[in-house]
Amino acid sequence: MDYTAKLDDALNRLHEEGRYRTFIDIERKQGQFPHATWRKPDGSEQPITVWCGNDYLGMGQHPVVLAAMHEALDATGAGSGGTRNISGTTVYHKRLEAEVADLHGKEAALLFTSAYIANDATLSTLPKLFPGLIIYSDELNHASMIEGVRRNGGAKRIFRHNDVAHLRELMAADDPAAPKLIAFESVYSMDGDFGPIEAICDLADEFGALTYIDEVHAVGMYGPRGAGVAERDRLMHRLDIINGTLAKAYGVMGGYIAASEKMCDAVRSYAPGFIFTTSLPPAVAAGAAASVAFLKTSEGQKLREQHQTQAKILKTRLKGMGMPIIDHGSHIVPVIVGDPVHTKKLSDMLLDGFGIYVQPINFPTVPRGTERLRFTPSPVHGPNEMDALVRGMDELWSHCALNRAELAG
């Protein structure tokens, strides 16, 4: 077999469909985010404003976080030195797990290197703990949840997105005595819609199922202490396992689950994705713990309020120009373009002509025909940045009118 030719074929298919992903080289500047420098392939540089980052609250540059990381780095050095089981558990990891458990009102928490790994490792391990487990998974769950459910070797049922009636049908058709778990999200990141948490918890009670919620795009940003949508809606106590990230609103890196002490202990003891992975560097854990603690406070609440205000302003202004945005009331601002080539071209034109960086979102992240630009306004996007974005979108959208010939170049 000509392996190189096969690789060429696979990559060429992405180019032909307009789905080939290009990464641009960005240098973030501490204290200046969302402003950054784009290092072009020819070696030149251009100032840009990042409008698609997941550092939702700007905590990646917050003095409290940086001070904690500097202190831990000076005290411990760079890496953790091993897996959590073999020399890789430090006071910083334990402190972070305690902060997260407290955040969600759970007995314990378990730290992973990313929320992807936390989802994959946990969901693929649960059937080992509950033989015969049936997992009911929302069809729009994140790829990490899908992968964990797929790999676990147990039974699975896929219910239509946020369709509680369909979920009920599936659960009612299964053996009442079989162990069950419902896996879903609180905020679905591509459309920005919310999961029906209370209704799902009601079904879980009715059918004796466990609940597993991914709050990745909500932790830090919703609820009086930033624990997520479940905290905002006073439903955390009804959720058995809560997944979250430390790499978005908290501005650092890592993921976790929060649950009962026995649940965390069992996952810790059986999940290969936890057992065989080197733990996060202590400095990263220290920074994340500082971020979680800070966002629990009234100062964190101020940032959350500013964040929601900025999202509402951007949605209002884009709607006023007739942009086809999706608005479910969350902080996510998707503008539907509907064609991968056009989406990429529009992204390139914003970057080259206006210094505005927003990455195109194409299949398989979103369904074909719903390709989009996904904006993530934050408290550090001020009026000037907002005006520049609106001007750029207005000029390109109105003058090009998404004309296929023009956008295709």
Side-chain angles (χ1 to χ4, degrees), residues 133-169:
L133 179 69
I134 303 171
I135 295 183
Y136 303 84
S137 179
D138 188 289
E139 68 176 343
L140 292 188
N141 277 341
H142 189 265
S144 58
M145 302 174 76
I146 294 171
E147 184 65 13
V149 172
R150 185 189 67 80
R151 289 198 310 109
N152 66 31
K156 66 177 183 291
R157 312 282 186 262
I158 310 302
F159 62 94
R160 291 187 292 270
H161 179 53
N162 282 349
D163 191 334
V164 178
H166 186 219
L167 174 58
R168 169 185 282 281
E169 290 176 14

Side-chain angles (χ1 to χ4, degrees), residues 23 29 37 51 53 73 101 111 164 190 211 221 247 258 328 339 376:
F23 302 148
K29 297 187 181 296
T37 298
W51 272 99
L73 181 64
L111 179 64
V164 178
M190 288 301 109
T211 49
M221 295 175 289
H328 290 286
D339 177 272
T376 54

